[in-house]
Amino acid sequence: QLQLVESGGGLVQSGGSLRLSCTGSGSDLDYYAIGWFHQAPGKEREGISCITSVDNRSYYVDSVKGRFTLSRDDATNTVYLQMNSLKPEDTGVYYCAATPYGGPGLMYPQNYEHWGQGTQVIVFS
């Protein structure tokens, strides 16, 4: 059974950077599409980025495009979310999720089967 653990969150000043990690155990993340989701305080969880399993292509929502970058590290079974030029509106809990599903809709949380516990990011101005 695949288990996911996020890490790397913290407190950062506006304009700063953080790198979030999503490490898998119990199965190789190669076989899964991985999504990152952001839940701002008082709001619903929203997809912000995903990477496919078939061709490792990454996708981003407009609000993070050009600032966030996804990458895989097969050696450590980890997917990274590099977050640059952080803004106060990036504050919230970040979750990674995995699915063997390879079709469209990878920005939607209902298409994911495995979830991490989340990591908190606070961006202050």
Side-chain angles (χ1 to χ4, degrees):
Q1 179 73 4
L2 176 65
Q3 294 187 324
L4 301 173
V5 176
E6 300 100 333
S7 61
L11 186 66
V12 63
Q13 191 168 17
S14 182
S17 298
L18 285 173
R19 188 178 74 163
L20 305 185
S21 301
C22 174
T23 301
S25 61
S27 185
D28 287 341
L29 291 185
D30 281 356
Y31 300 123
Y32 297 87
I34 304 296
W36 280 94
F37 295 81
H38 172 229
Q39 188 163 18
K43 296 191 176 181
E44 293 189 355
R45 198 173 300 187
E46 295 182 334
I48 57 170
S49 182
C50 62
I51 185 167
T52 62
S53 58
V54 175
D55 54 7
N56 277 335
R57 188 170 292 185
S58 300
Y59 298 89
Y60 306 90
V61 296
D62 287 345
S63 60
V64 308
K65 200 172 292 183
R67 299 190 298 125
F68 291 9
T69 304
L70 269 179
S71 61
R72 288 186 186 264
D73 183 343
D74 295 340
T76 60
N77 209 30
T78 299
V79 173
Y80 296 103
L81 182 67
Q82 177 68 43
M83 306 191 298
N84 298 329
S85 302
L86 283 162
K87 305 175 181 180
E89 52 263 44
D90 295 321
T91 292
V93 180
Y94 285 77
Y95 299 89
C96 70
T99 178
Y101 172 71
L106 290 176
M107 291 294 191
Y108 297 101
Q110 60 265 32
N111 290 327
Y112 287 83
E113 300 174 8
H114 308 278
W115 289 85
Q117 82 289 351
T119 185
Q120 176 78 52
V121 171
I122 298 173
V123 184
F124 64 94
S125 56

